[in-house]
Amino acid sequence: MTFAIAIDGPAASGKGTLSRRLAAYYGFRHLDTGLTYRAVAKAMLDTGLPLDDEAAAMQAARTFDIANMHRDVLAAHEIGEAASKVAVMPGVRRILVDRQRDFAATGDGAVLDGRDIGTVVCPDAPVKLFVTASPEVRARRRYHEILGNGGQAQEDVILADIRKRDERDMNRADSPLKPAEDAHLLDTSEMTIEAAFRAARRYVDAALDENS
């Protein structure tokens, strides 16, 4: 039985960094489920298919290589914009949720991060974390991340985009962003990544002890 860690949270909350750290520490496989929607969007853009073609998007969702997703390529802004369009398609969501569940069920352990992992993808995961931070803190982090990578950005524009994305994610009809009832809340507004990592490990270690 695979030990799954389900990590949810809004954009720029730190859930991706935390998920990768936990996966490396415990020797588990890691999946950023947001990249699966971006991979579908990139496949549509690469072939010039209209982004409102649900049948084509469903075919792309079935066939892209989930083991070969490149974060640096898929992080492009235009791919993110396209992903927000294909992500609302029920057929695409069903296919990707099935593929994410298959990933979670393979191997000795898996860490999945996204927006509906604890509520939809892995509702029976022994560890569920909901990682959040204030919109202002998240905007500041994203701003410094972009500058650190040599890019240019305006913090107020990022903040407006984060608030708009939160509104869309939390109020969508299909799999809205919300903590699972039994999720542990980690508010990283005033926490370093090390502090968040230590807190998360306490929850994981306790669950591993129970499952041993």
Side-chain angles (χ1 to χ4, degrees):
M1 180 68 180
T2 297
F3 186 94
I5 302 173
I7 303 183
D8 293 303
S13 60
K15 67 180 184 295
T17 301
L18 180 60
S19 299
R20 291 189 292 274
R21 288 282 302 273
L22 288 171
Y25 181 82
Y26 291 102
F28 291 170
R29 301 163 73 234
H30 171 249
L31 179 64
D32 175 349
T33 61
L35 292 184
T36 63
Y37 292 94
R38 286 174 174 262
V40 173
K42 184 176 186 301
M44 300 285 284
L45 293 172
D46 286 350
T47 53
L49 292 167
L51 294 173
D52 60 355
D53 186 338
E54 185 165 359
M58 289 170 66
Q59 180 61 17
R62 292 187 192 98
T63 55
F64 78 90
D65 185 359
I66 202 168
N68 194 31
M69 297 187 297
H70 298 289
R71 177 180 304 276
D72 52 345
V73 174
L74 296 176
H77 180 73
E78 64 272 16
I79 293 177
E81 289 296 306
S84 69
K85 295 181 173 65
V86 301
V88 300
M89 298 175 178
V92 172
R93 297 195 71 85
R94 283 195 301 272
I95 292 165
L96 292 183
V97 165
D98 283 344
R99 295 194 68 185
Q100 292 159 14
R101 285 174 177 158
D102 288 343
F103 183 96
T106 304
D108 295 329
V111 182
L112 285 78
D113 71 83
R115 287 173 173 74
D116 60 355
I117 311 305
T119 53
V120 175
V121 179
C122 299
D124 297 324
V127 178
K128 299 175 191 173
L129 303 174
F130 192 86
V131 183
T132 189
S134 71
E136 292 79 11
V137 167
R138 290 187 280 133
R140 195 174 311 123
R141 287 174 181 166
R142 182 59 54 85
Y143 172 72
H144 287 295
E145 178 186 9
I146 292 170
L147 293 188
N149 290 329
Q152 294 183 326
Q154 294 176 274
E155 193 170 337
D156 58 339
V157 173
I158 296 172
L159 177 58
D161 183 61
I162 279 177
R163 284 181 167 148
K164 181 174 69 175
R165 191 166 172 182
D166 285 352
E167 175 74 15
R168 184 175 65 222
D169 289 341
M170 292 175 182
N171 293 294
R172 68 189 182 204
D174 189 1
S175 307
L177 170 65
K178 62 180 181 180
E181 288 186 4
D182 54 346
H184 302 287
L185 180 65
L186 282 181
D187 188 329
T188 66
S189 298
E190 311 254 336
M191 296 174 78
T192 65
I193 184 59
E194 284 300 326
F197 179 54
R198 288 194 301 270
R201 276 174 47 199
R202 285 195 291 271
Y203 296 126
V204 176
D205 289 343
L208 284 169
D209 287 343
E210 287 181 11
N211 280 264
S212 62

